[in-house]
Amino acid sequence: MIVINIVMQIRAEKTDEWLELADSYARNVNAEEGCLYFKFSRSLTDENEYVCIEGFRDADAGSTHTSQPYVKDFFERMPDLVAAQPQILYIDTPHDGFGPMGEIAPR
């Protein structure tokens, strides 16, 4: 499984454009066969910071993802929306998805 986390600062004046792009992009990526999950979240401490968490079945699924036309469009549009260069964490792991957290369970 491939796990990717990206932290990005979005220009405050571009928030509406960003939210529209992020929504359509996430819908497209989540529809990919090899995508296990794809989500954007807004920081609780910085309203202009967003975190993307992605999980793909394997490197082949990741490669298929990056070849999609909406990925090219996303990468072409993002330089006009970000306030700083996004930071990425990429991990190729033997895990196959999320598992239960041992420390917390519903009462």
Side-chain angles (χ1 to χ4, degrees), residues 4-6 16 26 32 43-44 48 54-55 58 66 73 91:
I4 302 168
N5 291 351
I6 303 170
D16 290 342
E32 293 176 21
S43 170
L44 295 174
N48 297 315
E54 311 174 42
D58 53 28
T66 59
D73 178 61
I91 300 170

Side-chain angles (χ1 to χ4, degrees), residues 33-91:
E33 182 181 330
C35 178
L36 302 174
Y37 57 86
F38 186 95
K39 299 178 182 197
F40 288 113
S41 296
R42 184 181 240 168
S43 170
L44 295 174
T45 58
D46 180 347
E47 67 181 17
N48 297 315
E49 182 180 84
Y50 292 82
V51 177
C52 176
I53 60 168
E54 311 174 42
F56 293 94
R57 183 183 58 239
D58 53 28
D60 287 339
S63 179
T64 298
H65 163 69
T66 59
S67 70
Q68 301 304 312
Y70 48 83
V71 174
K72 180 181 178 185
D73 178 61
F74 184 82
F75 289 156
E76 286 178 3
R77 294 177 61 188
M78 284 303 291
D80 296 325
L81 304 180
V82 295
Q85 187 170 21
Q87 299 297 298
I88 188 169
L89 176 66
Y90 177 103
I91 300 170

